[in-house]
Amino acid sequence: RKSEAGMLNNFEHMSRDRFTKEDITTMEMSVLRLLEWRTHPTTPQTFAKHFLQLITRSCIPDRRCTEKIAEMCNFIVEVSLFDSLLVQEKQSTIARAAILLSLEGIDSEKVSPSAQVSMVSSISSIGYQDQDELLLVKEKMQDFLFTQTSDSTCVRQSIDPSGIVYKTTEAESS
């Protein structure tokens, strides 16, 4: 509480004493009520983290593989934040589409095809969202991602240079 009082004193001082501590706390409460206390919105990264925990726990025993998939997913989400076409999309849909994209190119020797199918099926069924919407967002993300980067193999190799979970070259994926 002492540090809060100190912060209020600082704000009061920064306002050149035009606002009192009571003015500041009253305005802060007004803003919080207006925002309905939603001061930490859920981001696509948050959704992705929770979704990945749900689907990978039973499908992928190797923690390193799970970490690489999560890293790829976060990269896709971060790059897609720059796409104006995705701004109006639901955060959870962006997360699900990024997970689907991050599951592409996984080496079947590292993660079994049945585990891959199970993960895709699981992420596609999470929530009450329209599957067409999910596929449209995935397509938008994929188009944007690969116009911003040279190709999917290059992205995968930068995320997973030692081939922990992704195939290391296009030739191997054929």
Side-chain angles (χ1 to χ4, degrees), residues 9-135:
N9 286 335
N10 289 341
F11 284 133
E12 187 176 32
H13 178 72
M14 287 188 304
S15 75
R16 294 191 171 104
D17 295 323
R18 292 181 72 200
F19 301 103
T20 65
K21 288 178 241 172
E22 292 75 27
D23 293 334
I24 294 166
T25 55
T26 301
M27 183 54 68
E28 186 175 61
M29 289 305 295
S30 296
V31 168
L32 288 169
R33 276 193 293 277
L34 183 68
L35 292 173
E36 297 176 357
W37 288 86
R38 289 179 287 187
T39 58
H40 185 359
T42 307
T43 65
Q45 290 93 332
T46 305
F47 276 111
K49 177 183 175 193
H50 292 293
F51 291 160
L52 281 169
Q53 286 174 345
L54 286 173
I55 67 168
T56 59
R57 198 173 283 151
S58 61
C59 298
I60 305 176
D62 186 347
R63 188 175 58 85
R64 293 177 319 144
C65 288
T66 302
E67 289 170 357
K68 288 298 174 184
I69 293 168
E71 194 175 338
M72 175 62 81
C73 184
N74 281 328
F75 173 79
I76 293 169
V77 167
E78 288 171 11
V79 170
S80 70
L81 293 174
F82 294 100
D83 186 357
S84 61
L85 296 174
L86 293 169
V87 171
Q88 73 261 5
E89 302 298 342
K90 295 175 186 159
Q91 305 297 298
S92 58
T93 303
I94 291 171
R96 291 171 63 222
I99 291 170
L100 288 175
L101 284 172
S102 70
L103 294 176
E104 292 179 1
I106 291 178
D107 190 337
S108 59
E109 292 180 12
K110 309 285 171 73
V111 179
S112 73
S114 62
Q116 292 179 44
V117 168
S118 177
M119 287 187 296
V120 169
S121 176
S122 295
I123 200 60
S124 296
S125 66
I126 290 175
Y128 303 104
Q129 297 166 335
D130 183 6
Q131 292 304 309
D132 291 336
E133 175 187 0
L134 174 61
L135 295 176

